[in-house]
Amino acid sequence: MAQAVQATIGDSEFDRDTAVTPRAPGVYDAELSAGWTIIHAVNGGYLLALLGRALGDALPHPDPFTVSAHYLTASQPGPAVIRTELVRTGRTLSTGQASLFQYAEDGTEVERIRVLASYGDLDALPEDVRTTAEPPAIPPMQHCLGPSDGPAAKIPGSSAITERLNIKLDPATVGWAVGAPSGKGEMRGWLGLADGRDADPFSLLLAVDAMPPTAFELGLKGWTPTVELTTHIRCRPAPGPLRVAITTRNLAGGFLEEDAEVWDSADRLVAQSRQLAKAPRS
Amino acid sequence: MAQAVQATIGDSEFDRDTAVTPRAPGVYDAELSAGWTIIHAVNGGYLLALLGRALGDALPHPDPFTVSAHYLTASQPGPAVIRTELVRTGRTLSTGQASLFQYAEDGTEVERIRVLASYGDLDALPEDVRTTAEPPAIPPMQHCLGPSDGPAAKIPGSSAITERLNIKLDPATVGWAVGAPSGKGEMRGWLGLADGRDADPFSLLLAVDAMPPTAFELGLKGWTPTVELTTHIRCRPAPGPLRVAITTRNLAGGFLEEDAEVWDSADRLVAQSRQLAKAPRS
C-alpha cells in the first residue's frame, strides 16, 4: 500500500500500538492491538516492545541493552496492565523488572510475560568497534520475496502482523512457502515497518521475533511458542531497512533455539537475540 | 592433584559449595565459598549454580531449561540468602524467579543477582535430535594445555577456581597466556571438575562461565563483568569431560557478547549460553 507520507519515530502505527499510559508510579495501562497477531497469538516481539517502552519510562536510563523475557501464558488482543519494578540504579546501567498482565473473566490478573532488563544510554557509548561479525549474505531487496510476489510469504492462520511489516525474504529461505523447505534452520531477509517508520531500539525488540520461524524451513508447521527470549540491543539503528538473519542449530528433545541478528543500513550489528522455543508438533 | 577416589554427583566439593539450606518456604541460606573466586570476584557460573539449586528445590520441575541472570553487584565469599518465587506452574514447564542477597555492614540485604528461569524434566524429553550443530574442533586432551603445562593457563589475580577445575585449552586459544593473543574472539577446551565429579545440569550452569574470557584472546586484560547471562540446558550430560567453546563476534561500544556451547562425551550439545559483558578497559 503506497503511503502518502512516511511515518516517523513517535508518530506511527507501531508507536500508537505500543503506547503505555501511566496509571500509578511504575504501573502502565496498555491495549494489545489485534494488528500484531500471527497464527493464533499476539506476536512476542510486539509484546516485548510494549514492556520495553514501559521500562524505558520507569527506569532512569532510556535504552534497552539486554532484555530477558519468559513467556508464561498466551496474550490476547485487548486491555493489559504492565507493572514495573526498579531493581538497581547504577551510573551506566540500571536494571528493572516488568510483568504484563491481562484480565480473567472474573477480573483477576493473569500474568502473560515476565521480563528482567538492564537499560543504559546508547548515545553515551564509545565509538569503538572491533567486531568480526559480518552482515548476512542477503540478495538485494528487489530480488527478495514478499507477500505480493506470489505464494512466497503465505503464513498459516492469522497474518495481521504481515500487513504492518515489510518483509522481503531471501529466496533461499522461502522453500517452506511452496512446500519445499530447505531442511536448513535458516530464515533471513529485509525487514521494515510497512508505513516506513524507521527502526529504533524498541522496534528492534519487535524485529528479533518478526520473521517466519526457522521451523518452517525445517519442514515443521504450526506454532512455535517461545519459552524465553533474550535480546541485546548494541547500538541505535541508522535509518533505512534492516537485515535480519535467524538460525537454528539444535532441534532436539522437542525444543529448539533461534538465534537472530539484526543489521542496519550502515552495516552495524544493532541487535542479537536468542530464544528457546517449543518445536511444532509436526 | 591425584584423587584416591573419584567424587560423585551429590558427594563432591561442588555439591557442598553449592548447597542451599531451607530457612522458610522458598527461602534458602547459602555460603559463598572463596574456592570459586577468580581475579577479584566470585565466579558468576558458580553463583548461577547456587541459584539453580535453590530453584530446583522450590519449583515443581527439577531441571533448569532456560535461566536468565542479571548481575547487579559483585558477590563476596561469605553468607548469602536466596529468595525464590514460583511464577507459574505448567504441565511440562514451570517458571520461577530467584534473587541472591548478601549483607551490608548494618545487616541490610544487598541484592547480587536476579534470575528468571523455566524448569522442566530433562528425562521426560523425547529422544528426537535433528541438530545440525557439530562439536567444536578441539585437539585431543593430551594435546591441550593446562596450568601444569607451563605458562599457558596463568590467570591474573586470584585463581582459586582453577584449582577446582580441570581446564585443558586448545593451544590455538592460549596465545594470551604468553603475551601473543590471537586477536580472535575464541576460547575453547576440555573442562571437568578437578575431583572427577561428572557434570549434571547444575554444573553446566558453572561450565558456561568457567573458561578464561574471550577478551584475553582479543588482547584485553582484566575483569570482564557480566551484565546478563542466559543459559539453555538442552539435555542431561553423559559422564566424562565436557568440551566448551566460547565465541565473541561483536566487541563494540564498550560491550561484548560471549556465546558458549557445551558438548558432552556422547557428542551432544548439552548447553548453550550467551552473555552480555562489559569489555575490559585495556
Side-chain angles (χ1 to χ4, degrees):
Chain A
M1 178 169 58
Q3 296 288 323
V5 179
Q6 177 175 317
T8 56
I9 294 172
D11 183 13
S12 73
E13 189 162 33
F14 175 79
D15 292 286
R16 287 185 287 279
D17 287 350
T18 57
V20 295
T21 306
R23 178 203 288 188
V27 183
Y28 301 86
D29 285 305
E31 181 75 22
L32 307 191
S33 162
W36 303 87
T37 50
I38 182 73
I39 308 183
H40 302 299
V42 181
N43 172 264
Y46 162 71
L47 297 168
L48 205 54
L50 266 163
L51 284 152
R53 286 191 64 179
L55 281 169
D57 186 80
L59 296 180
H61 291 90
D63 300 314
F65 275 31
T66 170
V67 181
S68 308
H70 286 245
Y71 290 78
L72 307 171
T73 56
S75 299
Q76 306 297 331
V81 59
I82 298 172
R83 300 182 182 279
T84 67
E85 175 195 350
L86 174 61
V87 175
R88 174 183 173 266
T89 300
R91 192 173 56 84
T92 58
L93 292 175
S94 53
T95 300
Q97 178 172 322
S99 291
L100 186 147
F101 299 87
Q102 291 194 292
Y103 304 97
E105 285 191 4
D106 64 1
T108 58
E109 292 184 358
V110 180
E111 190 168 359
R112 300 299 194 203
I113 311 176
R114 190 176 292 204
V115 161
L116 274 179
S118 293
Y119 275 54
D121 182 353
L122 288 172
D123 298 328
L125 296 182
E127 292 286 327
D128 65 300
V129 175
R130 289 182 52 190
T131 185
T132 58
E134 297 196 359
I138 299 175
M141 200 184 301
Q142 65 270 26
H143 297 149
C144 290
L145 300 172
S148 60
D149 302 304
K154 279 205 182 119
I155 287 169
S158 161
S159 59
I161 192 175
T162 62
E163 298 167 18
R164 280 155 190 82
L165 299 175
N166 185 13
I167 296 182
K168 293 282 190 178
L169 294 176
D170 184 334
T173 68
V174 298
W176 59 275
V178 292
S182 70
K184 296 181 187 172
E186 299 176 3
M187 191 70 66
R188 57 182 177 267
W190 298 85
L191 176 69
L193 289 163
D195 61 11
R197 177 199 189 272
D198 282 317
D200 71 348
F202 297 122
S203 76
L204 291 179
L205 296 176
L206 166 68
V208 297
D209 197 38
M211 303 287 275
T214 54
F216 288 179
E217 276 294 90
L218 291 168
L220 301 171
K221 292 171 184 169
W223 184 238
T224 311
T226 302
V227 177
E228 173 268 324
L229 167 61
T230 295
T231 308
H232 300 171
I233 306 295
R234 301 298 300 274
C235 77
R236 188 175 303 285
L242 303 169
R243 283 158 293 170
V244 183
I246 309 181
T247 309
T248 294
R249 298 171 65 223
N250 193 38
L251 169 61
F255 290 83
L256 54 87
E257 98 286 7
E258 273 196 7
D259 280 12
E261 52 182 71
V262 184
W263 294 78
D264 73 1
S265 61
D267 273 357
R268 293 180 306 182
L269 180 50
V270 292
Q272 294 170 287
S273 77
R274 176 177 289 163
Q275 67 172 267
L276 184 70
K278 284 189 187 172
R281 288 173 184 269
S282 62
Chain B
M1 180 170 55
Q3 297 289 322
V5 179
Q6 177 175 317
T8 56
I9 294 173
D11 183 11
S12 73
E13 190 162 32
F14 175 79
D15 292 285
R16 286 184 288 279
D17 287 351
T18 58
V20 296
T21 307
R23 177 203 289 188
V27 183
Y28 302 85
D29 285 306
E31 181 76 21
L32 307 191
S33 162
W36 303 88
T37 49
I38 182 71
I39 307 183
H40 302 299
V42 181
N43 173 263
Y46 162 71
L47 296 168
L48 204 55
L50 266 164
L51 284 152
R53 286 192 65 180
L55 280 169
D57 186 81
L59 296 180
H61 290 89
D63 301 315
F65 276 31
T66 169
V67 181
S68 308
H70 286 245
Y71 291 77
L72 307 171
T73 55
S75 299
Q76 306 297 330
V81 59
I82 297 172
R83 300 182 181 280
T84 68
E85 175 195 350
L86 173 61
V87 176
R88 174 182 173 266
T89 300
R91 193 173 55 84
T92 58
L93 291 174
S94 53
T95 300
Q97 178 171 322
S99 291
L100 186 147
F101 299 87
Q102 291 193 293
Y103 304 97
E105 285 190 5
D106 64 1
T108 58
E109 292 184 356
V110 180
E111 191 168 358
R112 299 300 193 206
I113 310 176
R114 189 176 293 205
V115 161
L116 274 179
S118 292
Y119 274 54
D121 182 353
L122 287 172
D123 298 328
L125 296 182
E127 292 287 328
D128 65 301
V129 174
R130 289 182 52 190
T131 186
T132 57
E134 297 197 358
I138 298 175
M141 200 184 299
Q142 64 270 27
H143 297 148
C144 290
L145 301 173
S148 59
D149 302 305
K154 279 204 183 122
I155 286 168
S158 160
S159 59
I161 192 175
T162 61
E163 297 167 20
R164 280 154 192 83
L165 300 174
N166 185 12
I167 296 183
K168 293 281 188 179
L169 294 176
D170 184 335
T173 67
V174 297
W176 59 274
V178 291
S182 69
K184 296 180 188 171
E186 297 176 4
M187 190 71 66
R188 56 182 177 268
W190 297 86
L191 176 69
L193 289 162
D195 60 11
R197 177 198 189 273
D198 282 318
D200 71 348
F202 298 122
S203 77
L204 291 179
L205 296 176
L206 165 68
V208 299
D209 197 37
M211 302 287 275
T214 54
F216 288 180
E217 276 294 90
L218 291 168
L220 300 171
K221 292 172 185 170
W223 183 239
T224 310
T226 302
V227 177
E228 173 267 324
L229 167 61
T230 295
T231 307
H232 301 172
I233 307 295
R234 300 298 300 275
C235 77
R236 190 175 301 284
L242 303 169
R243 284 156 293 169
V244 183
I246 309 181
T247 310
T248 295
R249 298 171 64 222
N250 192 38
L251 169 60
F255 289 84
L256 54 87
E257 98 285 8
E258 271 195 9
D259 279 11
E261 52 183 70
V262 183
W263 294 76
D264 73 2
S265 62
D267 273 358
R268 294 179 306 181
L269 180 49
V270 293
Q272 295 171 286
S273 77
R274 175 176 288 164
Q275 68 173 267
L276 183 70
K278 284 189 187 171
R281 289 173 184 268
S282 61

